[in-house]
Amino acid sequence: MIEKGRISYLELALIMYATVVATAILYIPYVTSQHAKRDLWLSPIWGSLSGFLIVMIIVKLSKLYPGKTLIEYGELILGRTLGKIISFIYLFFLLHDTAIAFREYGEFIESAFLHKTPIIFVTGSIALSCAIAVHGGIETIGRCATIFLPIVLALYILIYVFLIPDLNVKNIFPIMQDGIMPSIKGSIAPHAWLSQFSLMSFLIPFLTNQQKVMKWGMFSVIASVLTMVFINLGNLLLFGGIISNLYFPVFEAARFISVGSFFEHIESMVIAFWVLGGFVQLSSFFYMLTLGTSQWLTLPSYKQFVLPIGFLIIIFSVWSIPSFEEMIQGMGTTMPFYFLTVQLLIPVLLLGVAVIRRKRSNSFLP
């Protein structure tokens, strides 16, 4: 096996939580509010359906092909040629998805803090840090998730705790004034983010125990959805209708904090702690892409590919997204359908063919 490291259930849940939530808490409120308006807090609940469905599919496939990732059992299910083609499509998507995640990170850091720094230097610096973690293996990323994410989560809860005097419950009303459809339309982006739970297939083979993977996968989905609901609701109660005009409402919320005359202007602290969560997310994407590419090429180790793939990610992050405005627009239009097409349909295809082949092989047994 290429990877010798092992992770626990908790580390798997935290890695997947970071993979989904780290950038979702920044971009989801703005993108969702374009369609859902005041009902944006409901949209992640509808989006959770994709997360739950994909976790069930991936766990079922992992039980049919224990110790294998999606790249490996794709060939076993579809045959060598077709399996290689499907796996390549998924890996190319993963490269694009990873590049988008790095670009999202870079755009936020540049917009909020490093205004005059070229974005390639921002993404390049985090890519180098992530490369060190990826070279260390899945255990390194799992330990980072265990240490960093509780700190990041506590920080975001405290932001809205400090803002309780400024929250206006009236901003949530009237609920579903225009019916349920606006919140369903707003769930397009949460559907896309939660479809990334297909990446669990790269982590399940390295669990120390495979018995409770479904439970912890579902727990991670629930935690991700609750975080999105909490962030969307907090922003709505604070900003009301103007939330649809704010690209980074969580960052803007931090600017509102003022406790006495000594605890204020903590947005720099928010960025510093958010980078920890972003580091886990980007390292996870980076690792899965490197591991999957090595498995597709049937190489004995993935470590020699870390730097070349890191360089490719940075190039794609600049090349594939012309501007910040186009990236934001894509999040609410074409990107969700692109994500769901690859991350939902490919696992569904693999599971369907695998089940049919199992039934046919059993029917021929005496």
Side-chain angles (χ1 to χ4, degrees):
M1 186 178 288
I2 292 178
E3 173 63 74
K4 304 297 183 182
R6 290 291 182 268
I7 56 174
S8 65
Y9 290 125
L10 177 62
E11 288 169 334
L12 177 140
L14 289 175
I15 289 173
M16 291 311 306
Y17 176 84
T19 300
V20 173
V21 170
T23 50
I25 58 177
L26 294 179
Y27 293 96
I28 283 288
Y30 172 80
V31 176
T32 303
S33 66
Q34 302 307 304
H35 300 284
K37 306 300 180 184
R38 295 178 186 273
D39 296 328
L40 77 163
W41 61 279
L42 289 170
S43 295
I45 298 175
W46 315 136
S48 66
L49 297 176
S50 291
F52 290 130
L53 177 60
I54 289 175
V55 167
M56 288 190 289
I57 293 170
I58 293 299
V59 172
K60 179 63 176 178
L61 284 168
S62 72
K63 290 181 178 179
L64 292 175
Y65 301 93
K68 304 291 184 183
T69 68
L70 185 146
I71 304 302
E72 293 174 311
Y73 56 64
E75 294 185 36
L76 297 176
I77 295 171
L78 301 175
R80 182 173 176 81
T81 302
L82 186 56
K84 285 285 187 184
I85 294 172
I86 295 297
S87 296
F88 177 80
I89 292 172
Y90 191 90
L91 285 173
F92 186 82
F93 162 81
L94 183 53
L95 171 61
H96 193 196
D97 189 13
T98 305
I100 291 172
F102 272 82
R103 183 62 177 265
E104 290 170 346
Y105 168 90
E107 290 287 358
F108 172 64
I109 295 297
E110 185 183 43
S111 300
F113 198 59
L114 303 176
H115 305 292
K116 297 184 179 181
T117 304
I119 194 168
I120 195 167
F121 286 100
V122 178
T123 53
S125 61
I126 190 66
L128 184 60
S129 301
C130 292
I132 297 172
V134 172
H135 193 273
I138 189 62
E139 288 187 3
T140 301
I141 298 172
R143 300 298 186 275
C144 288
T146 305
I147 295 170
F148 295 157
L149 290 185
I151 299 172
V152 177
L153 185 58
L155 172 71
Y156 282 106
I157 292 174
L158 285 175
I159 288 175
Y160 295 97
V161 169
F162 287 132
L163 288 172
I164 286 177
D166 298 304
L167 302 182
N168 185 359
V169 179
K170 293 181 180 179
N171 289 337
I172 199 175
F173 299 108
I175 297 174
M176 289 194 284
Q177 180 181 14
D178 299 317
I180 197 174
M181 285 309 298
S183 62
I184 292 178
K185 290 179 180 178
S187 71
I188 294 174
H191 273 294
W193 255 275
L194 290 164
S195 70
Q196 292 173 330
F197 272 90
S198 68
L199 298 173
M200 273 182 61
S201 68
F202 292 95
L203 302 178
I204 292 175
F206 309 117
L207 283 170
T208 52
N209 192 319
Q210 306 283 329
Q211 299 302 316
K212 299 179 181 179
V213 62
M214 179 73 80
K215 171 185 173 182
W216 283 89
M218 292 298 182
F219 173 78
S220 188
V221 173
I222 293 171
S224 300
V225 171
L226 289 178
T227 302
M228 291 185 198
V229 171
F230 173 79
I231 294 294
N232 284 0
L233 190 58
N235 288 322
L236 175 64
L237 297 181
L238 180 64
F239 296 112
I242 68 170
I243 189 175
S244 58
N245 299 320
L246 301 174
Y247 285 141
F248 305 115
V250 175
F251 180 67
E252 298 296 335
R255 290 178 168 173
F256 273 75
I257 294 176
S258 179
V259 180
S261 59
F262 62 92
F263 190 71
E264 54 188 13
H265 301 297
I266 67 166
E267 56 269 20
S268 297
M269 186 185 302
V270 171
I271 293 175
F273 281 103
W274 177 82
V275 167
L276 297 178
F279 170 78
V280 176
Q281 180 199 41
L282 299 178
S283 296
S284 301
F285 274 119
F286 195 163
Y287 171 80
M288 294 169 190
L289 176 60
T290 307
L291 177 69
T293 302
S294 300
Q295 290 176 333
W296 189 77
L297 295 171
T298 62
L299 298 176
S301 175
Y302 65 87
K303 295 188 177 182
Q304 68 267 32
F305 266 90
V306 173
L307 289 180
I309 288 181
F311 179 76
L312 195 60
I313 290 169
I314 299 305
I315 297 299
F316 259 70
S317 70
V318 176
W319 169 76
S320 60
I321 305 172
S323 66
F324 174 72
E325 288 73 20
E326 290 189 34
M327 182 183 75
I328 287 288
Q329 183 180 9
M331 287 179 184
T333 53
T334 58
M335 196 180 296
F337 298 101
Y338 169 50
F339 274 50
L340 287 168
T341 299
V342 177
Q343 297 191 122
L344 179 57
L345 290 187
I346 287 181
V348 167
L349 170 67
L350 292 176
L351 180 60
V353 175
V355 170
I356 291 172
R357 292 187 63 177
R358 289 287 175 116
K359 287 184 177 179
R360 285 186 176 181
S361 62
N362 291 336
S363 66
F364 289 109
L365 294 176

